[in-house]
Amino acid sequence: MEAELTTLTALAASGATTFVGLMATEAWTQVRGRLVRFLGRGENDEVIDAELEESREALIAARRDGDEDGARDVAAEWRIRIRQALRDNPEAEQELRAILDELAPQQTTGPTVAINHNTISGGHYNAPVIMAQWVNDGAPSTPRRGPGTA
């Protein structure tokens, strides 16, 4: 029984993290309807929709103001609500897993490339600027030798 509760708690946390993370994005309009149907089960959908919108506004305001505690409070509130929905309805676990699987980024088997958009400001540059985690000219790395070493 305790293992089952731990699983439900972890699933609820994953769901809350995913949903709250999407609240401040353009994808929220599509995700919100799924979450309303999941939590409302056809009852109180309008109330839940209004609560989600209120939470979204609170989250955006908290992030704008740098209020990390406020943002965490929004996630905690929905983690509790999702966990309760999982406890109340045995079919909810599979439904939530399906929603999260659809929202999860596709896993790739090969290397992934992250594209960053960097900005340089504060002056005029007359030469190329290289911004990288590391730069290697293709030559094998050799230790540098200081004076007096062979």
Side-chain angles (χ1 to χ4, degrees):
M1 180 69 171
E2 188 171 324
E4 182 180 327
L5 287 176
T6 302
T7 301
L8 292 181
T9 299
L11 182 59
S14 177
T17 300
T18 300
F19 296 133
V20 171
L22 291 170
M23 278 184 178
T25 70
E26 292 179 17
W28 177 243
T29 55
Q30 294 141 357
V31 174
R32 185 174 78 191
R34 302 270 323 259
L35 186 55
V36 166
R37 286 188 297 279
F38 170 76
L39 291 170
R41 303 263 177 239
E43 302 173 17
N44 304 321
D45 285 358
E46 292 175 8
V47 172
I48 291 170
D49 189 51
E51 291 171 345
L52 284 168
E53 187 56 31
E54 188 177 307
S55 290
R56 179 179 183 269
E57 290 171 9
L59 177 69
I60 291 170
R63 287 184 176 172
R64 182 186 59 235
D65 297 339
D67 179 8
E68 293 181 27
D69 288 337
R72 279 193 291 269
D73 289 347
V74 172
E77 173 187 352
W78 289 104
R79 184 178 59 247
I80 292 166
R81 299 277 301 269
I82 292 169
R83 187 175 59 222
Q84 190 61 48
L86 292 170
R87 286 181 179 167
D88 291 348
N89 188 339
E91 295 88 34
E93 181 178 353
Q94 292 304 320
E95 185 179 347
L96 180 58
R97 287 186 192 282
I99 293 169
L100 293 176
D101 286 346
E102 287 178 30
L103 297 176
Q106 296 298 316
Q107 299 296 319
T108 60
T109 55
T112 58
V113 177
I115 299 174
N116 293 320
H117 299 280
N118 297 312
T119 303
I120 299 172
S121 63
H124 183 77
Y125 299 92
N126 294 317
V129 176
I130 299 172
M131 300 176 79
Q133 180 176 349
W134 49 266
V135 177
N136 186 346
D137 63 1
S141 177
T142 57
R144 296 184 185 195
R145 297 178 184 225
T149 58

